[in-house]
């Protein structure tokens, strides 16, 4: 029996969202002198250093190590002296590289400019994939994006050149695809790698992987392609995981060789023991999946962990009143846009075309990169997908992140879309809260777009050709990698000059897209007294609810302007409304950002009170920057998504959790909250909240935190950036 094993290794890390960017390879000076990439010929992989670190830690711990531990401990700054107590200590790690997308890179580069540092310390790149809005088709949408975003692209290009950051121009492709996954088992028929993570999401839920690294292993791994592994890891964030990994195997070697990185493959072969778990290692939690029994899945709506077999979703939709008609099918995105994905989708589309059938739903195709776009165009996949009714969009994130100028339904109109994306939170794709979005594999999306309904199971159901002939779709097939090698397409990479110190980076004071940063104020040295409750959030509150994407992406480089979207998607517990809260200084109701600005103008600090897994979803730093900018001091919740919790700390805010989660119910919208114990703020020691009710009564609640000593220094300095500046003097 083929089994698929998923293991969860719980490690508490100190890298914030940077922890999600760990790579298997180490960027140290290597005697083998194998470059990390052809674009960074002087930055070498040094598995020898990685091996040394792992050997030191293995000897200290005196036990076999998981692959996750090897990756993490291999990147320790000081493997001899690092305190290692899993679940308690934070690790000081040296990342290999930094990769940024154009929306968040604006703020990252603005922060880097304000740090005063002359040049980046590790290989870094900016990828222009988020600011291209899907509207008509790839060529026209790309041209429009270049015009609309010219100021931002010029800023990123010049800042990259000045500070040593590589710049991937608009149209290059999507940043998020990873390599570094190990899988086991045997997939067949309509079942795809996407179904593995859809099933896992259903088991673990959106918070089940919080604080964990998910490590895949077992005999079924070798049946999954390298890009299939990437799909599974990519969507691992949707279960709250720090990251996901697969052990090195021949599928990865083949992919490296086919993409012009044979030297890296040879070096990985030489150090292959480093890139797999030790025999006899143990995990904190074990989930076993039998790939022979795994069926195609579709998850949603409104959350990526509501899992259904495709065979059941039609009946479930009818029971719940979800629209059965599929209005739009969308394939691509960072999660599912590989050559294999496009080939399998095209194989489904061709069967329909051969019978004279086209998509009943609208159908869009987003290539993952310029290389994929050029290769699928050369090999005929683009034509097949276009002939069946598909519109090929730009090599960008597009509808997956809300960059979609959708016009076929009105806002508020109930409708269903199916996508091969990774997230489907309310209004995520098209800003319409009534859109029921489901996530599944590209081949299932294609089949459902052809059928035009959720009530279609391609494994058993028949389609009707225009001549009345009934036919069933054969299982999809597609080459893992192109037989003719990849077509690189257009060269869209801008190398940073060896010395960019003379480069100028201009930010106009009149710009509404870019704004230089002012440092946040330092901690006063005293407890925080009489903080207003800005909003008590009810239920799910993702980073999309806190800082929406879509049309707001254009303000990612202007903190004051983008702060006008702060918490406008969160539900107010007082009235079950969004973006409608009471201003307790005026007695009137207003939008969340407006009330926050009024409080700030009147020197009134405030807190947000939230529910479980607050801040899940995208690792969006603006969701932490905006509350700090508008006068927030603390976010008090039942539990946090790990990445958002760290981001809040970096901006000098206090992310705190109720020691007793039911204390959430004790907070009233008109309360004043004082946070006590800050003068003796130390790791592991709870703080307290004195809650003053409007009727004159008071109660004291215990609040937990996960700050370490370094993070407490961030708080005292006002932010991590402020602390970095202090250390330079």
């Amino acid at each position: 029996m083929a089994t698929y094993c998923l293991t969860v290794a719980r490690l508490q890390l100190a890298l914030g969202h940077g922890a999600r960017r760990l790579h298997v390879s180490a960027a140290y000076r290597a005697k083998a002198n194998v470059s990390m990439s052809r674009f960074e010929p002087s930055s070498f992989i040094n598995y020898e250093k990685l091996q040394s670190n792992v050997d030191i830690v293995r000897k200290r711990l005196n036990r076999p190590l998981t692959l996750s531990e090897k990756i993490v401990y291999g990147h320790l700054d000081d493997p001899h002296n690092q305190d290692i107590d899993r679940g308690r200590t934070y690790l000081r790690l040296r990342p290999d590289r930094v990769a940024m997308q154009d929306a968040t890179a604006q703020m990252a580069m603005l922060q880097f400019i304000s740090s005063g540092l002359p040049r980046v310390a590790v290989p870094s790149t900016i990828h222009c994939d988020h600011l291209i809005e899907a509207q008509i088709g790839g060529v026209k949408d790309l041209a429009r994006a270049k015009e609309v975003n010219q100021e931002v692209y010029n800023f990123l290009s010049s800042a990259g050149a000045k500070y040593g950051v590589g710049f991937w121009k608009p149209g290059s492709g999507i940043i998020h695809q990873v390599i570094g996954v190990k899988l086991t088992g045997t997939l067949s028929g309509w079942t795809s790698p996407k179904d593995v993570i859809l099933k896992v999401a259903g088991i673990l839920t959106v918070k089940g992987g919080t604080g964990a690294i998910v490590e895949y292993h077992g005999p079924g791994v070798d049946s999954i392609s390298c890009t299939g592994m990437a799909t599974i890891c990519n969507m691992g964030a949707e279960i709250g995981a720090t990251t996901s990994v697969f052990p090195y195997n021949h599928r990865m070697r083949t992919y490296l060789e086919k993409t012009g990185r044979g030297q890296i493959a040879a070096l990985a072969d030489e150090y292959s023991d480093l890139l797999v778990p030790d025999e006899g290692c143990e995990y904190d939690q074990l989930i076993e999946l039998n790939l022979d029994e795994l069926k195609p899945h579709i998850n949603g709506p409104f959350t990526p962990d509501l899992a259904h077999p495709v065979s059941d979703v039609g009946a479930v939709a009818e029971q719940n009143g979800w629209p059965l008609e599929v209005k739009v099918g969308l394939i691509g995105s960072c999660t599912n846009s590989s050559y294999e994905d496009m080939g399998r989708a095209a194989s489904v589309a061709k069967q329909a075309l051969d019978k004279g059938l086209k998509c009943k739903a609208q159908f869009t195709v987003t290539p993952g990169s310029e290389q994929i776009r050029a290769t699928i165009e050369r090999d005929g996949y683009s034509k097949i997908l276009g002939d069946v009714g598909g519109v090929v969009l730009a090599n960008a994130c597009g509808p997956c992140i809300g960059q979609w100028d959708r016009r076929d339904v009105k806002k508020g109109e109930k409708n269903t879309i199916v996508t091969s994306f990774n997230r489907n939170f309310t209004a995520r794709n098209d800003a319409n809260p009534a859109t029921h979005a489901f996530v599944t594999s590209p081949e299932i999306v294609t089949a459902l777009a052809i059928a035009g309904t959720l009530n279609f199971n391609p494994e058993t159901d028949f389609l009707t050709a225009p001549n009345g002939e009934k036919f069933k779709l054969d299982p999809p097939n597609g080459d893992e990698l192109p037989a003719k090698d990849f077509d690189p397409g257009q060269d869209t990479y801008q190398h940073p000059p060896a010395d960019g110190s003379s480069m100028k980076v201009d930010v106009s004071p009149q710009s509404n897209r870019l704004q230089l940063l002012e440092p946040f104020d330092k901690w006063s040295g005293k407890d925080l007294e009489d903080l207003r409750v800005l909003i008590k959030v009810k239920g799910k509150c993702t980073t999309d609810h806190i800082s929406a994407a879509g049309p707001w992406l254009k303000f990612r480089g202007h903190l004051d302007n983008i702060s006008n979207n702060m918490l406008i998607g969160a539900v107010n517990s007082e009235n079950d409304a969004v973006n409608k809260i009471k201003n307790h200084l005026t007695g009137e109701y207003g939008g969340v950002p407006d009330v926050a600005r009024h409080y700030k103008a009147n020197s009134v600090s405030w807190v947000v009170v939230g529910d479980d897994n607050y801040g899940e979803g995208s690792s969006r730093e603006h969701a932490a920057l905006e509350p700090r900018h508008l006068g927030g001091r603390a976010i008090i919740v039942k539990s946090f998504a790990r990445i958002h919790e760290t981001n809040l700390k970096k901006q000098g805010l206090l992310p705190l959790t109720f020691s007793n989660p039911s204390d959430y119910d004790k907070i009233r919208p008109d309360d004043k909250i004082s946070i006590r114990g800050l003068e003796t703020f130390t790791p592991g020691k709870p703080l307290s909240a004195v809650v003053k009710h409007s009727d004159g009564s008071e109660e004291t609640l215990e609040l937990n935190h996960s700050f370490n000593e370094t993070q407490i220094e961030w708080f005292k300095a006002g932010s991590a950036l402020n602390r970095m500046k202090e250390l330079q003097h």
Side-chain angles (χ1 to χ4, degrees):
M1 180 179 71
T3 59
Y4 168 87
C5 300
L6 176 155
T7 60
V8 183
R10 300 197 172 272
L11 298 170
Q12 202 161 10
L13 307 177
L15 274 189
H17 65 282
R20 293 174 65 185
R21 298 188 178 125
L22 288 175
H23 286 202
V24 171
S25 57
Y28 301 98
R29 292 297 180 264
K31 67 179 182 182
N33 286 345
V34 174
S35 299
M36 290 181 68
S37 85
R38 62 188 175 92
F39 301 103
E40 293 134 351
S42 60
S43 297
F44 304 113
I45 298 171
N46 191 347
Y47 283 144
E48 188 176 24
K49 174 63 175 175
L50 185 70
Q51 178 77 69
S52 173
N53 282 11
V54 168
D55 289 345
I56 291 166
V57 174
R58 188 191 285 113
K59 186 175 181 181
R60 285 181 58 191
L61 299 179
N62 193 31
R63 62 170 175 79
L65 301 179
T66 65
L67 173 59
S68 303
E69 290 174 315
K70 289 182 180 182
I71 295 170
V72 174
Y73 297 150
H75 288 78
L76 286 175
D77 179 51
D78 183 359
H80 287 286
N81 300 306
Q82 168 72 57
D83 187 15
I84 300 174
D85 183 1
R86 296 175 66 240
R88 182 185 68 82
T89 57
Y90 285 81
L91 305 180
R92 297 183 66 86
L93 304 174
R94 289 194 172 272
D96 298 335
R97 66 177 303 117
V98 173
M100 301 168 277
Q101 40 93 340
D102 49 349
T104 53
Q106 297 170 59
M107 188 56 64
M109 294 311 295
L110 288 166
Q111 290 174 323
F112 191 88
I113 290 169
S114 65
S115 75
L117 295 170
R119 195 172 177 88
V120 294
V122 296
S124 303
T125 45
I126 295 168
H127 303 249
C128 294
D129 62 359
H130 272 55
L131 297 181
I132 304 170
E133 183 182 58
Q135 186 183 75
I136 301 168
V139 175
K140 291 183 178 179
D141 291 347
L142 179 58
R144 184 162 52 91
K146 288 179 177 178
E147 180 182 346
V148 170
N149 302 308
Q150 182 180 10
E151 178 187 14
V152 171
Y153 291 148
N154 287 345
F155 165 72
L156 294 174
S157 173
S158 59
K162 183 173 182 65
Y163 297 106
V165 179
F167 180 71
W168 286 95
K169 299 173 186 177
S172 301
I174 309 172
I175 179 179
H176 289 292
Q177 280 276 32
V178 182
I179 297 167
V181 183
K182 174 188 175 183
L183 290 174
T184 61
T186 302
L187 294 176
S188 61
W190 284 89
T191 307
S192 74
K194 185 67 164 284
D195 296 307
V196 173
I197 187 60
L198 294 174
K199 178 69 173 179
V200 170
I203 295 170
L204 290 179
T205 77
V206 291
K207 61 181 181 180
T210 301
I213 292 177
V214 179
E215 181 173 314
Y216 295 87
H217 68 278
V221 167
D222 287 346
S223 77
I224 301 178
S225 67
C226 182
T227 52
M229 298 179 199
T231 291
I232 296 167
C233 287
N234 178 286
M235 196 172 163
E238 309 321 309
I239 56 173
T242 300
T243 193
S244 305
V245 295
F246 283 85
Y248 178 70
N249 69 359
H250 72 280
R251 307 297 283 263
M252 296 183 189
R253 181 199 310 121
T254 301
Y255 184 84
L256 288 169
E257 292 170 345
K258 200 75 170 177
T259 53
R261 291 173 279 189
Q263 284 186 308
I264 296 177
L267 190 64
D269 283 345
E270 185 180 342
Y271 286 90
S272 59
D273 286 349
L274 266 181
L275 308 179
V276 297
D278 287 344
E279 192 74 32
C281 66
E282 296 183 357
Y283 300 93
D284 302 285
Q285 183 179 348
L286 182 66
I287 296 171
E288 294 193 24
L289 293 181
N290 183 347
L291 293 186
D292 291 334
E293 298 174 357
L294 184 64
K295 289 292 186 180
H297 272 63
I298 183 169
N299 290 20
F302 307 122
T303 184
D305 58 354
L306 185 56
H308 322 275
V310 170
S311 57
D312 297 346
V313 72
V316 174
E318 285 189 290
Q319 292 167 12
N320 287 279
W322 303 334
L324 282 174
E325 181 190 3
V326 174
K327 287 284 190 181
V328 191
L330 305 97
I331 67 170
S333 87
C334 60
T335 315
N336 273 122
S337 55
S338 68
Y339 184 81
E340 181 181 34
D341 289 329
M342 295 301 178
R344 286 172 66 87
S347 76
V348 174
K350 189 174 187 308
Q351 294 180 61
L353 286 172
D354 288 345
K355 298 292 185 179
L357 204 59
K358 293 191 175 184
C359 290
K360 289 184 179 178
Q362 293 185 41
F363 186 46
T364 70
V365 180
T366 303
S369 67
E370 170 60 10
Q371 180 168 271
I372 290 296
R373 182 209 61 78
T375 306
I376 66 172
E377 186 174 297
R378 180 199 68 194
D379 293 352
Y381 293 167
S382 294
K383 185 177 189 311
I384 294 170
L385 294 170
D387 288 348
V388 84
V391 175
V392 179
L393 302 176
N395 313 323
C397 300
C400 183
I401 59 163
Q403 283 286 59
W404 184 15
D405 184 15
R406 188 181 181 193
R407 300 181 179 182
D408 63 299
V409 296
K410 295 178 181 178
K411 191 169 183 177
E413 183 180 339
K414 200 173 175 182
N415 74 100
T416 285
I417 65 173
V418 291
T419 82
S420 67
F421 305 160
N422 52 4
R423 294 185 185 128
N424 60 340
F425 298 123
T426 303
R428 163 83 180 182
N429 304 123
D430 62 359
N432 181 2
T435 292
H436 292 56
F438 294 81
V439 291
T440 184
S441 67
E443 47 266 51
I444 293 294
V445 171
T446 306
L448 295 182
I450 292 167
T453 177
L454 284 178
N455 198 15
F456 177 73
N457 177 9
E459 290 189 301
T460 58
D461 296 345
F462 287 79
L463 293 168
T464 303
N467 65 2
E469 177 191 353
K470 300 280 188 182
F471 71 97
K472 199 171 77 167
L473 293 168
D474 293 330
N477 61 79
D479 291 339
E480 178 179 346
L481 297 164
K484 301 178 186 176
D485 292 336
F486 284 103
D487 181 338
Q490 299 178 38
D491 184 1
T492 55
Y493 183 67
Q494 173 186 296
H495 291 266
D499 181 4
S501 58
S502 63
M503 294 286 299
K504 286 191 66 177
V505 181
D506 292 324
V507 176
S508 169
Q510 285 75 44
S511 174
N512 71 348
R513 299 286 302 270
L514 299 166
Q515 179 188 45
L516 292 173
L517 296 175
E518 295 292 331
F520 292 133
D521 60 321
K522 294 185 177 182
W523 174 53
S524 66
K526 300 178 181 178
D527 289 338
L528 302 176
E529 300 289 340
D530 293 334
L531 305 173
R532 280 285 181 186
V533 175
L534 177 68
I535 180 173
K536 182 181 178 183
V537 177
K538 177 182 177 181
K540 183 186 285 285
C541 190
T542 71
T543 50
D544 278 318
H545 294 90
I546 304 167
S547 176
W552 292 95
L553 285 173
K554 60 179 174 286
F555 298 125
R556 283 283 179 89
H558 197 295
L559 180 55
D560 194 57
N561 282 348
I562 199 170
S563 293
N564 289 323
N565 77 359
M566 185 191 74
L567 286 160
I568 62 175
V571 176
N572 181 7
S573 67
E574 181 185 14
N575 54 15
D576 285 340
V578 295
N579 202 29
K580 185 179 180 181
I581 61 172
K582 189 172 185 179
N583 184 327
H584 292 284
L585 298 184
T586 67
E588 299 176 352
Y589 281 83
V592 181
D594 301 323
V595 174
R597 287 185 186 279
H598 189 259
Y599 285 171
K600 182 181 179 181
N602 287 275
S603 301
V604 174
S605 297
W606 48 264
V607 303
V608 169
V609 176
D611 217 316
D612 270 317
N613 208 28
Y614 183 91
E616 67 177 280
S618 186
S619 58
R620 193 164 296 164
E621 193 170 23
H622 291 79
L625 281 161
E626 293 172 30
R628 183 71 162 100
H629 175 65
L630 294 185
R633 294 295 176 182
I635 312 292
I636 307 171
V637 301
K638 293 180 181 178
S639 65
F640 282 103
R642 182 195 60 79
I643 297 168
H644 185 61
E645 180 182 21
T646 302
N647 284 347
L648 290 169
K649 294 176 186 177
K650 288 195 297 182
Q651 304 311 329
L653 283 156
L654 289 169
L656 306 170
T657 55
F658 294 106
S659 180
N660 183 349
S662 64
D663 285 347
Y664 165 90
D665 299 319
K666 297 178 181 178
I667 305 296
R668 305 170 191 171
D670 57 354
D671 285 344
K672 292 181 179 179
I673 298 177
S674 298
I675 297 176
R676 304 280 170 80
L678 291 174
E679 294 183 38
T680 57
F681 194 11
T682 53
K685 182 180 180 182
L687 300 173
S688 61
V690 177
V691 182
K692 300 176 183 176
H693 301 305
S694 57
D695 60 8
S697 62
E698 290 187 6
E699 49 191 318
T700 301
L701 311 177
E702 185 176 80
L703 301 176
N704 294 328
H705 67 84
S706 60
F707 280 80
N708 63 16
E709 292 177 0
T710 298
Q711 293 166 342
I712 290 173
E713 291 174 354
W714 297 347
F715 168 74
K716 292 179 177 179
S719 70
L721 195 58
N722 288 1
R723 180 59 181 155
M724 185 187 299
K725 284 185 176 179
E726 290 177 354
L727 293 173
Q728 290 181 48
H729 301 296

